[in-house]
Amino acid sequence: MSDAVGTPPKTRTPAAAEPAAPSAPDRGGIDPRLGLAGASLGAVLLEACGDGGSGSSPGGGTITPAAITTTQASRFLSQASVGYGRTDVINLAGSSYNAWLDTQLAMARPQKFWDFLIAGGYDAAANINSTAGFDAMMWSQLINSGDILRQRVGLALLSIWVVGIDGLTSSWRSFVMAAYLDGLWDNAFGNYRDIMEFVSTSPAMAQFLTFLGNSKANPTTGSIPDENYARELMQLFTIGLYQLNMDGSQVLSGGAPVATYTQADVSQAARVWTGYTLANTDNTTPARMRLPLIINNSTRETGASSLLNGAITIPAGTDGATARKILLDGLFNHASMPPFISKQLIQRLVTSNPSPAYINRVANVFVNNGNGVRGDMKAVIRAILTDAEARDDNQVTSTSFGKLREPILRLTQWARAFNVTSPTNQWPFGNTSSTANRLGQSPGRSPSVFNWFRPGYTPPGTAISAAGQVAPEFQIANEPTIIAYVNYMQSLIASGAGEAKPDYSSLTTIATDSQALLAELNLVLAANQISSATIAQMKSALDTIAVTTTTGINNRIYAAILLVMASPEYLVLR
């Protein structure tokens, strides 16, 4: 996303720019026996994602089938969770979507991020200037926690309200992030207005978008308040660059889109974000990083502020907390917020290009949950996942529906499908953001406020772009990153990560039958979306691996999982 108004904030890095054309990939690490997994997948993925043509577009409402098939259950769970196994599929097939949602939405968090760090002793003084425990904390929750819907929605919120640990400037950075993530995860099933309030008083966001210690204007020196958070609060977190209709389409004037705010509005809003500081000065422990920011009146702007053509007006002399409330309430009630946020949540959970009707239905639930409440996240999540467009089985063959699976979610799905455990709670997957030999993405390590990929990104020079559609995750997908993913997963599938090992015992009894093995993996990992033609190719490759020994059986299992997880029909989820 580019800036329409104002000067770039300090955290905008080259990673937020359009990606350069991929260089020629190094194929040296690919085992030639893996066939499809060793192929050049970049162009194939683009084709698999669709050419932007028309697909089915259900009329509206929700679909409640008389009985959920295992295929439907797996497809639903791939949209609603960070990963699942065969038992989850069977249990959902014997229940209903709403019953599953009721259970997940009522589930208390088994453990907070902060508590994981404390239990691991990471609050020791030696860790004050390190990020010790951070990656283990992230993977522990994403792979091991039972609240699989909350984990998925938490990641979705983190992709909107972006903070990356490498952009923090204080001590106790793991704890700063833990407190921030706990706030997002705790409020994932609450109200969006509460998320706005939490983030706006969070030490993590105040560091990442540089309003910690922000001071009022000084006429003598010519300094003005930092505008970073004021801008991104509007542009990325609430109302977007352009005014929207409820179906996500742009409001036009004379054929041109209408901006939601101007640079003058940014300057006026920045006055509100002055005076913010940490709650106390005790840095001997990380405890203060969990407390909301306080306001130092000596550095706070007390003059009047007015923005969005007077829709938000803060009188002179208003105290800091009230000024914040007026501004956040004004943005929360802005007409563009429901479609702007609803579309992004749909993109993160279900499909990159939701129809206007789908956006409109969810946006209306954002406005009113049925009981007059605006911003009810439980209602919005339910509306997204049970919408007719999301649940329509015909979408599996649509050329305009679906999304590329994020690398993080591929790893967590594998880990949950095969019961990866970490006996000493180290979860040694570490930082997986390397594009050379890891996933090219790592939870909580976004390089900029624009996340790993932008919601409006489209691969240049493709049919997707020509059709005016988007494919956000493709911003981090090219031949080198896909090859790195395949190589990394090849190692993980066979050996795990350190002490974090998978359990393939459920597959050993069927590994001698390649067709049965692939059928199981197709259901649990890919919701049966891998075609029979592709399965036949995979079977031919697997049948060349002898299974007369335990080693042979294991090798066939490893190869089968990798072939499935490297196939375009798995990587592009419909």
Side-chain angles (χ1 to χ4, degrees), residues 112-173:
K112 305 249 180 159
F113 290 106
W114 186 280
D115 295 339
F116 176 94
L117 294 178
I118 294 294
Y122 293 106
D123 57 339
N127 294 322
I128 188 170
N129 292 315
S130 77
T131 58
F134 174 72
D135 293 308
M137 173 191 81
M138 294 300 302
W139 294 117
S140 171
Q141 290 264 333
L142 295 175
I143 293 174
N144 196 48
S145 184
D147 53 349
I148 55 179
L149 174 63
R150 186 187 297 272
Q151 298 298 324
R152 182 64 177 269
V153 175
L155 283 179
L157 290 171
L158 184 60
S159 74
I160 298 172
W161 296 89
V162 180
V163 169
I165 191 169
D166 298 313
L168 300 181
T169 57
S170 73
S171 53
W172 301 113
R173 284 178 291 161

Side-chain angles (χ1 to χ4, degrees), residues 149-339:
L149 174 63
R150 186 187 297 272
Q151 298 298 324
R152 182 64 177 269
V153 175
L155 283 179
L157 290 171
L158 184 60
S159 74
I160 298 172
W161 296 89
V162 180
V163 169
I165 191 169
D166 298 313
L168 300 181
T169 57
S170 73
S171 53
W172 301 113
R173 284 178 291 161
S174 294
F175 284 90
V176 175
M177 280 298 293
Y180 184 72
L181 296 168
D182 278 332
L184 290 185
W185 265 239
D186 287 346
N187 286 293
F189 299 159
N191 193 285
Y192 200 82
R193 176 61 179 83
D194 293 331
I195 296 172
M196 296 170 64
E197 183 72 23
F198 163 76
V199 173
S200 297
T201 58
S202 161
M205 183 59 80
Q207 290 181 42
F208 195 67
L209 287 186
T210 60
F211 71 94
L212 185 66
N214 193 14
S215 294
K216 61 185 176 182
N218 186 329
T220 302
T221 64
S223 67
I224 61 174
D226 186 298
E227 297 179 347
N228 214 356
Y229 184 62
R231 176 185 292 104
E232 306 307 1
L233 177 62
M234 293 187 287
Q235 179 180 339
L236 301 178
F237 307 154
T238 56
I239 61 177
L241 286 170
Y242 301 108
Q243 294 182 27
L244 301 176
N245 297 304
M246 284 291 283
D247 65 0
S249 62
Q250 293 179 346
V251 174
L252 302 178
S253 177
V258 180
T260 53
Y261 63 90
T262 66
Q263 173 55 37
D265 293 326
V266 173
S267 298
Q268 288 291 299
R271 295 155 66 90
V272 174
W273 306 112
T274 55
Y276 282 81
T277 187
L278 295 174
N280 61 59
T281 59
D282 182 2
N283 201 40
T284 58
T285 75
R288 64 175 178 161
M289 302 304 182
R290 202 178 194 182
L291 301 175
L293 300 173
I294 61 173
I295 300 172
N296 180 352
N297 287 322
S298 66
T299 58
R300 183 177 68 83
E301 176 61 61
T302 57
S305 296
S306 180
L307 59 152
L308 305 186
N309 295 317
I312 300 176
T313 300
I314 302 168
T318 303
D319 68 87
T322 302
R324 181 178 70 240
K325 182 180 186 307
I326 292 171
L327 176 57
L328 294 181
D329 283 348
L331 294 175
F332 179 64
N333 289 293
H334 193 285
S336 292
M337 173 176 270

